[in-house]
Amino acid sequence: MRADRLVSLVLLLRRRGRMTAGALARELEVSTRTVLRDIEALSAAGVPVYAERGRHGGFALLPGFRTEPTGVSHEEAIALLAAGPGRGERAFGLGAALASALRKVVDALPEDHQATAGDAARRFLVEPETDLLARRAVTEDVPATAMGEVRRAVLSGRKLRIHYAAADRPARWRTVDPIGLVTVRDRTYLPATRAGADRTYRLSRVLAAEELPEPAERPDQVDLDRIWRERSAVFLSGGDHLTVLIRLDPVRREELLDTVLAVRAEEPAADGRLRLEVVFQDARHALWALWRLGTDAEALAPESLRASLRERAAAFGALYGTPSP
């Protein structure tokens, strides 16, 4: 887009000083004639760019010219720089655009703030790839082309055709009306409607996508937070999901939460432990998750899960109750 190119041209002149039209054309990947037209447009807009003729001539900005973003404070710049390299950089396939925007923010800061903002941001680490237990974060890859088509359809309000592979089913094409994009724990979802019915698609299962010219059937104003809460409630109430009441050692809390679908209640117990009401995908998943926590977790309900844990413990006791042959 021309607006982006004009900003890039100004930033090049600010960082490198005097540059020839040919050098600018190579950097911007356009023709020399396009650069000359852009220079004229900048001059007409009041940007103090001037030409110097001769063997070492070129275009330059008047000394002291800055392109400061209106209202961006030093603290706000630090916040942007600190948050950028975290999960937000990967969200919705906008990492490259975010990196470019952050460079422009830094360039537009007063010179005495540039170094301090960069140093401060390097002292913040948001969502590293591993935690203190060296467990790597699980991220889902979405093809860049598919992500771009989905994002454009969401923003333009047009229908979307996706090649979607639901769990344990062959992939097939379907046409949907996109509502928005939601990212949760490094997973991205597409709330949409299909033939008027609510649907939620996991983007890692979208193999290909195509924005269609027809307008999507959706309201102009949408409360995406409310829609997500409602769909989460419907999801948790269906299928074979199992609600479990647990007594837990607080040091294992995060490990437990990594395995559950939802936490419905949490409160401290009199003995220093926690009482949590959580939802698992199914009984088998609950048995696996609690068994791996050992005696640091106790299932208080339902009784069927307690019986399954008791039977497994008895089987292990029988296996290891005598010395090995």
Side-chain angles (χ1 to χ4, degrees):
M1 295 178 61
R2 192 186 189 197
D4 292 337
R5 193 174 67 244
L6 293 176
V7 172
S8 297
L9 194 157
V10 172
L11 293 179
L12 281 170
L13 293 178
R14 271 191 37 75
R15 285 195 297 264
R16 303 187 187 181
R18 187 184 300 109
M19 295 182 67
T20 66
L24 287 167
R26 287 190 295 273
E27 289 287 341
L28 300 173
E29 298 182 347
V30 295
S31 67
T32 303
R33 180 174 297 181
T34 297
V35 168
L36 296 176
R37 285 200 299 264
D38 288 347
I39 293 291
E40 291 180 3
L42 289 173
S43 297
V47 177
V49 58
Y50 67 96
E52 288 189 358
R53 302 187 181 279
R55 181 178 178 184
H56 300 291
F59 296 99
L61 295 170
L62 289 177
F65 174 73
R66 300 204 59 83
T67 54
E68 299 192 21
T70 303
V72 176
S73 69
H74 187 230
E75 290 292 312
E76 290 169 339
I78 291 175
L80 287 171
L81 292 171
R87 288 181 177 177
E89 187 174 353
R90 298 186 297 273
F92 313 129
L94 293 171
L98 177 58
S100 175
L102 292 177
R103 286 195 297 270
K104 293 174 182 177
V105 168
V106 171
D107 188 85
L109 288 173
E111 291 183 5
D112 58 336
H113 285 176
Q114 289 186 13
T116 57
D119 181 67
R122 284 190 291 272
R123 298 180 186 275
F124 300 147
L125 180 59
V126 181
E127 296 294 346
E129 290 187 359
T130 59
D131 61 15
L132 284 176
L133 300 178
R135 295 174 301 189
R136 292 185 65 84
V138 179
T139 58
E140 296 187 329
D141 293 327
V142 181
T145 53
M147 183 73 254
E149 289 290 310
V150 171
R151 187 175 65 244
R152 281 190 289 272
V154 167
L155 296 177
S156 66
R158 295 191 176 95
K159 288 184 179 291
L160 180 69
R161 188 168 175 257
I162 57 175
H163 195 216
Y164 190 75
D168 302 323
R169 297 180 186 176
R172 64 187 182 90
W173 287 94
R174 57 196 78 190
T175 299
V176 303
D177 297 298
I179 295 174
L181 287 168
V182 177
T183 235
V184 182
R185 293 185 180 179
D186 285 327
R187 293 177 178 176
T188 305
Y189 299 89
L190 171 70
T193 60
R194 182 165 172 252
D198 290 344
R199 294 288 187 269
T200 302
Y201 301 99
R202 195 158 151 181
L203 280 199
S204 61
R205 295 174 180 165
V206 175
L207 307 180
E210 178 187 2
E211 180 189 8
L212 301 177
E214 297 86 3
E217 297 178 8
R218 66 179 191 181
D220 293 333
Q221 302 295 326
V222 63
D223 185 345
L224 195 55
D225 187 55
R226 176 186 57 79
I227 290 174
W228 186 252
R229 288 197 307 269
E230 292 174 351
R231 296 197 179 188
S232 296
V234 171
F235 174 77
L236 292 174
S237 65
D240 298 323
H241 300 154
L242 182 69
T243 300
V244 180
L245 182 62
I246 298 173
R247 180 172 162 269
L248 179 72
D249 187 325
V251 300
R252 308 297 293 275
R253 178 180 180 274
E254 294 304 317
E255 193 172 348
L256 170 70
L257 297 189
D258 284 342
T259 65
V260 303
L261 292 177
V263 178
R264 288 184 168 171
E266 179 178 352
E267 62 181 7
D271 59 359
R273 294 204 164 197
L274 297 174
R275 287 174 63 93
L276 297 100
E277 184 180 0
V278 299
V279 179
F280 286 101
Q281 183 173 330
D282 50 36
R284 182 180 178 182
H285 187 209
L287 177 63
W288 165 81
L290 290 174
W291 181 260
R292 67 198 290 264
L293 295 175
T295 57
D296 289 332
E298 178 187 3
L300 304 178
E303 183 57 36
S304 59
L305 179 58
R306 288 180 61 87
S308 296
L309 288 165
R310 187 164 55 247
E311 291 170 5
R312 177 174 286 196
F316 265 76
L319 179 62
Y320 293 104
T322 58
S324 63

